[in-house]
Amino acid sequence: MNHQRPELEVLSSFPKDRFSRMLPNQKDAARIIASESGSVTLEMPTGSGKTAVGVMFLRTAQKQGAAPLFYITPTKTLVEQAHLQHPELKVAYGRGEHACLYYPNENLKANEIPCLLLTDCAHRVNQETGETHMPGVAPCPYYQQKYEAKQGGIVACTMSFYLFTQLFSREWERPAALVIDEAHRLASVVRSSLSYEITDYHLRRLIELLDSIGAREAVAIRTFLRTMLRIIKKKPVSQRNILATTEIEELMGVLADINPDEMREKIGTVVRKQVDPVEHREVLKQLETLVYDLRRYLDSLAYSLTTPDRNPLNYVYSYYTEEEEGSRDKVRYRLFIKSYYVAPVIKRILSRRTLAYSATIGDPQVFGFETGIKAPFHSLPSDFPVENTRIFMPTDTPNLATKERSRREPTRVLRTIAKACHTFARAGHRSLVVVVSEAERKKFLMLCEEERVRAISYGDGVRARDAAQQFREGVGQYDVLVGTAANYGEGVDLPKQLAPVIFFLRPGYPSPSDPATIFEERRFGNMRWKLWNWRVMMEAQQVRGRNIRGAQDLGVTFFISQQFRRFLFGGLPQWLQESYRGTSTFEECVAEAKKLLQCK
């Protein structure tokens, strides 16, 4: 009986107040969580009720008196979905999601103002007492939600917000229990959050402000700007160029003359006395960024160097454009510091009790290399009826790799897809078309017009999520939703036959000229292909899952380029391999899809 107690404790934490019964995979997850006792990684198919499993995991820890507790996801939209399903979750968002009350007439978000320098803001909420700086005024929405989140319970937030609470804020403790939803995206979110762009324009504005308040740090920043421009100007124009080790060391040598802590304290004092925070808001924001990011710049540059103990973890590249007569561009020279190997960082922010899950984990070894998460791994089978879906890899479509395809082939195959979309639309079935590049997206939209296909996409002021929403709501108005994998490869849910047909043009292998590609080639050699194949396989599985969200859905996915054939079948979960069709022509695949979708 004793061995059953941990499982019963987990099962008793299931949110029965929200769901009347547990799904089979939720029961399996409870058993696994109880048996592992510490951290665990789960691959759970779409429709398995992952969010409820995460809440169950955290409620179990909460019953045991553990705190704080975090539930993290890649995007605000997913946080909102989790909160909608489980209202007891305390939502915490970054400054960009909250209105600023200091500048009441400018309709600004808190991330657009020099918030950290405005310590005398009347609306600031004391994180110990919950009181505003000036009694009786409306509390700052950002600081108020932070204070409330710290009072206990389960906090739901984005991965980026959580990262900064653990790495850069001294206000938050390491969580006693942590749930990571869509865990396969964690590494890319951390990379993005820890990457920086430095421009000549912003540095000049900072120098002007530092000079105006008599700060000696202006000398060091001016030297850094001169050094940066001299290094960048040696490189080919209008190309992204990776910096050499000696160049990175030279930049670090200049920044090393600045003490970030002293600079932060002194500038904060001077700003409060001498600088109008309304008139100089934009420059103060840049100054705040420098003051608080300077140590991060130094650390990131240091991690771009080889040491006796490790290879480079980051890389640095530059970009600049030729000066054109009459040009009004404020920025000509850019320096990018890109985080790459983030697994050590992620390890630092994990809890001793971490539940990581996703519908797409794939190879747990590669997943562990990318994320640093190496907990016991379990892949759960799906209860989705596999006969409701097909994964088509036609035999007669071309290889669209840059070195393999002819010049006209991309246009020809895009037209073939447009014609197929027209065929399906005539039968009452809409499509999602996912491409890789902007050029492909624009070309396909043009071909849709020629083939009389009513397509909708983003651009010209229309955001990607707004276009997707119009497509969902505009049944009868649009035949096809079109976008790149970056926008529609994940996060766009089209269940209940909203778009039962998906076309995915080609895998998104990195460009040979991209600095990240060059860095990975140098660092890993031929081993980089294992990593790249894992990434494109995760991308392929995510695209396939856009129209299959529950057991009642019907949906098919066409993988067009023959590049997919190398890894697609082997990378599918075993339960899904039965739906794979790789020996039929494109027309035969269309015919089978029509039969499945009951087209006449």
Side-chain angles (χ1 to χ4, degrees):
M1 188 69 179
N2 288 341
H3 71 278
Q4 292 182 341
R5 286 179 181 172
E7 184 174 343
L8 291 174
E9 187 176 19
V10 175
L11 287 169
S12 69
S13 300
F14 183 78
K16 298 183 179 68
D17 51 328
R18 305 296 298 173
F19 303 100
S20 59
R21 65 181 183 87
M22 293 183 72
L23 299 174
N25 271 347
Q26 292 173 329
K27 294 179 181 178
D28 288 342
R31 174 183 51 77
I32 292 168
I33 290 168
S35 65
E36 296 293 354
S37 72
S39 296
V40 64
T41 298
L42 299 177
E43 185 174 57
M44 298 182 66
T46 300
S48 295
K50 293 188 289 292
T51 306
V53 170
V55 171
M56 177 174 64
F57 178 83
L58 294 172
R59 279 186 175 183
T60 303
Q62 190 175 30
K63 286 180 179 179
Q64 298 166 351
L69 308 169
F70 276 88
Y71 180 99
I72 67 174
T73 74
T75 67
K76 176 190 171 186
T77 300
L78 292 174
V79 173
E80 291 173 341
Q81 289 178 9
H83 183 247
L84 185 64
Q85 292 180 19
H86 305 278
E88 74 269 26
L89 300 183
K90 292 184 175 181
V91 171
Y93 294 130
R95 286 185 171 86
E97 304 300 331
H98 297 282
C100 171
L101 304 183
Y102 190 93
Y103 300 88
N105 300 319
E106 298 190 44
N107 194 30
L108 296 169
K109 298 293 187 182
N111 68 328
E112 298 175 304
I113 60 105
C115 185
L116 297 175
L117 294 178
L118 302 175
T119 55
D120 61 346
C121 174
H123 307 279
R124 189 179 290 264
V125 177
N126 185 302
Q127 296 297 289
E128 297 294 329
T129 66
E131 299 175 353
T132 53
H133 187 71
M134 181 180 292
V137 302
C140 166
Y142 169 70
Y143 280 105
Q144 180 66 24
Q145 57 113 54
K146 270 214 317 184
Y147 172 76
E148 292 174 358
K150 294 173 185 175
Q151 303 314 302
I154 300 171
V155 179
C157 63
T158 63
M159 292 174 176
S160 182
F161 181 91
Y162 174 76
L163 174 70
F164 280 84
T165 69
Q166 298 302 308
L167 288 186
F168 306 124
S169 173
R170 299 173 183 176
E171 305 172 21
W172 299 83
E173 297 178 16
R174 182 69 59 86
L178 169 68
V179 169
I180 307 173
D181 189 10
E182 301 291 336
H184 69 284
R185 295 179 61 181
L186 181 58
S188 63
V189 170
V190 174
R191 286 190 185 108
S192 176
S193 299
L194 298 183
S195 295
Y196 308 98
E197 178 184 358
I198 305 174
T199 72
D200 57 332
Y201 170 71
H202 291 144
L203 289 177
R204 289 191 175 98
R205 295 295 302 275
L206 290 170
I207 292 167
E208 290 174 9
L209 180 58
L210 291 169
D211 280 336
S212 72
I213 62 177
R216 68 175 180 83
E217 283 80 9
V219 176
I221 301 301
R222 189 176 283 108
T223 302
F224 181 84
L225 174 60
R226 287 199 299 264
T227 305
M228 184 181 93
L229 295 184
R230 175 171 50 79
I231 290 172
I232 293 177
K233 287 178 180 179
K234 294 178 182 178
K235 313 290 183 181
V237 68
S238 299
Q239 291 184 23
R240 293 174 292 179
N241 305 285
I242 288 186
L243 267 60
T245 297
T246 54
E247 294 168 330
I248 296 171
E249 290 173 336
E250 191 173 0
L251 290 169
M252 287 181 61
V254 178
L255 288 180
D257 292 336
I258 303 175
N259 184 310
D261 295 327
E262 289 182 8
M263 182 180 177
R264 181 184 309 172
E265 182 177 350
K266 181 169 64 177
I267 289 178
T269 301
V270 174
V271 163
R272 288 191 292 274
K273 292 180 178 179
Q274 299 182 21
V275 180
D276 186 333
V278 176
E279 181 182 353
H280 297 289
R281 175 179 59 79
E282 182 183 346
V283 179
L284 280 176
K285 177 59 184 173
Q286 295 300 324
L287 180 60
E288 176 193 75
T289 300
L290 174 67
V291 169
Y292 284 88
D293 281 357
L294 182 59
R295 189 175 298 282
R296 300 172 200 172
Y297 293 163
L298 282 165
D299 290 343
S300 294
L301 287 169
Y303 286 133
S304 303
L305 301 175
T306 301
T307 72
D309 300 323
R310 58 163 173 77
N311 290 321
L313 306 181
N314 298 344
Y315 61 97
V316 183
Y317 71 91
S318 63
Y319 182 87
Y320 77 104
T321 55
E322 289 183 314
E323 187 172 9
E324 298 180 9
E325 188 174 348
S327 173
R328 297 184 179 181
D329 290 342
K330 295 180 179 179
V331 177
R332 282 191 59 212
Y333 298 90
R334 292 178 169 87
L335 191 69
F336 298 90
I337 308 173
K338 289 290 188 178
S339 248
Y340 175 77
Y341 184 54
V342 294
V345 174
I346 293 174
K347 285 181 181 179
R348 286 169 53 190
I349 65 175
L350 297 177
S351 168
R352 285 179 297 177
R353 298 170 68 179
T354 296
L355 170 62
Y357 53 60
S358 171
T360 51
I361 296 291
D363 187 333
Q365 289 187 329
V366 181
F367 172 78
F369 172 81
E370 278 275 86
T371 65
I373 300 174
K374 298 182 179 180
F377 171 75
H378 300 266
S379 182
L380 302 182
S382 176
D383 57 2
F384 175 79
V386 72
E387 64 271 13
N388 283 12
T389 189
R390 295 290 185 275
I391 297 171
F392 294 118
M393 181 67 255
T395 57
D396 56 348
T397 52
N399 184 328
L400 293 175
T402 304
K403 294 181 179 180
E404 300 291 335
R405 69 193 186 199
S406 66
R407 185 172 61 85
R408 296 182 179 180
E409 215 145 35
T411 299
R412 181 180 64 80
V413 75
L414 285 171
R415 187 180 295 280
T416 299
I417 295 172
K419 289 180 177 180
C421 289
H422 185 262
T423 298
F424 284 114
R426 288 175 61 188
H429 294 278
R430 304 193 300 167
S431 303
L432 168 66
V433 174
V434 179
V435 295
V436 173
S437 71
E438 270 297 293
E440 291 164 349
R441 184 183 73 88
K442 292 177 180 178
K443 171 66 75 173
F444 185 75
L445 288 172
M446 183 189 73
L447 294 171
C448 282
E449 288 186 16
E450 295 178 6
E451 298 297 332
R452 294 176 297 170
V453 176
R454 296 168 298 180
I456 183 172
S457 191
Y458 43 85
D460 297 326
V462 178
R463 296 180 301 178
R465 65 181 180 183
D466 293 335
Q469 187 63 29
Q470 289 181 49
F471 179 75
R472 290 191 195 95
E473 297 173 352
V475 176
Q477 297 181 42
Y478 308 108
D479 303 326
V480 183
L481 176 64
V482 184
T484 63
N487 284 295
Y488 290 156
E490 294 189 44
V492 178
D493 293 343
L494 300 166
K496 300 178 182 178
Q497 285 68 261
L498 282 173
V501 183
I502 297 175
F503 295 93
F504 191 12
L505 182 65
R506 62 184 177 92
Y509 283 107
S511 167
S513 62
D514 189 283
T517 308
I518 296 170
F519 177 79
E520 289 181 328
E521 287 176 337
R522 293 175 180 175
R523 199 173 194 277
F524 303 119
N526 288 333
M527 289 298 295
R528 69 190 185 276
W529 283 103
K530 185 174 183 179
L531 181 62
W532 290 351
N533 283 332
W534 178 81
R535 289 175 184 163
V536 295
M537 187 62 228
M538 294 301 97
E539 182 181 64
Q541 288 200 47
Q542 284 292 324
V543 169
R544 185 211 66 83
R546 294 310 89 210
N547 58 10
I548 300 294
R549 313 303 297 171
Q552 304 305 313
D553 292 332
L554 286 172
V556 303
T557 305
F558 289 79
F559 291 92
I560 302 301
S561 176
Q562 292 300 313
Q563 294 165 280
F564 287 114
R565 191 173 291 277
R566 291 199 299 265
F567 60 83
L568 184 59
F569 178 79
L572 293 173
Q574 189 172 358
W575 66 268
L576 194 56
Q577 290 180 349
E578 186 181 331
S579 68
Y580 179 84
R581 301 290 185 273
T583 59
S584 303
T585 66
F586 184 81
E587 288 302 320
E588 290 170 340
C589 292
V590 169
E592 184 173 350
K594 290 169 67 176
K595 183 178 179 181
L596 175 69
L597 300 174
Q598 299 177 341
C599 297
K600 295 182 180 179

